[in-house]
Amino acid sequence: MAPDPLAAVVHVLGARHSGADALCADLARILPRYTVLNASPEWLDAAPPRALPASGRHCWLLCGLDLECPAPEQHRQQAEDAALRAQLARAGLVFRMVYGMTPQQRLAQALQAIDAVAPCEATALHRASAASQRLRPMCEQCSDPDCERRLFSALGR
């Protein structure tokens, strides 16, 4: 069977206790036409993104550290997260952060991020409306550059 030209490759990354494994499984279930990869730091080192095929659409998702993590693991979790961010930056990859306290919130955020790169019927259901993008209650706290850009551009109007 030939690959679907409209499908995309979704790369999910995350430090320990970030929910990356669960998000990966949820995305694979919801997006059967897409290739969903749980991209570990070792995978990034072994298969540099520049070696990926140029054709096709790639979406890189990094799971945030907002889920509960046992205290003894927090330092290691933060180090892993910093290493992943550094690897993505070195590779010149644009990635989107995925946050949420529940699997459903994380899945909805991931689908919104994927919709911007590789829209499909499943991702369109989670597309943010213009009104919801104007009225985001956590803009000051989410550290999403797109969100900050919308906030500051709205001030100039």
Side-chain angles (χ1 to χ4, degrees), residues 11-28 36-39 61-70 77 80-81 84 97-108 110:
H11 308 267
V12 180
L13 299 105
R16 65 188 59 238
H17 302 288
S18 68
D21 293 337
L23 178 62
C24 203
D26 288 343
L27 287 171
V36 180
L37 302 173
N38 195 342
L61 303 175
L62 178 61
C63 293
L65 302 182
D66 54 341
L67 295 179
E68 193 170 324
C69 178
Q77 179 196 46
E80 286 177 4
D81 183 68
L84 284 170
M97 294 300 302
V98 176
Y99 293 103
M101 296 306 291
T102 67
Q104 296 82 6
Q105 290 172 337
R106 284 180 171 252
L107 179 60

Side-chain angles (χ1 to χ4, degrees), residues 97-128:
M97 294 300 302
V98 176
Y99 293 103
M101 296 306 291
T102 67
Q104 296 82 6
Q105 290 172 337
R106 284 180 171 252
L107 179 60
Q109 275 213 352
L111 290 170
Q112 284 180 4
I114 296 165
D115 188 62
V117 176
C120 73
E121 199 172 302
T123 62
L125 297 173
H126 296 274
R127 195 170 292 152

Side-chain angles (χ1 to χ4, degrees), residues 69-101:
C69 178
E73 296 280 327
Q74 288 176 353
H75 180 71
R76 192 165 174 194
Q77 179 196 46
Q78 292 170 357
E80 286 177 4
D81 183 68
L84 284 170
R85 289 171 187 262
Q87 282 180 292
L88 290 165
R90 274 193 307 275
L93 294 170
V94 175
F95 63 95
R96 300 209 179 216
M97 294 300 302
V98 176
Y99 293 103
M101 296 306 291

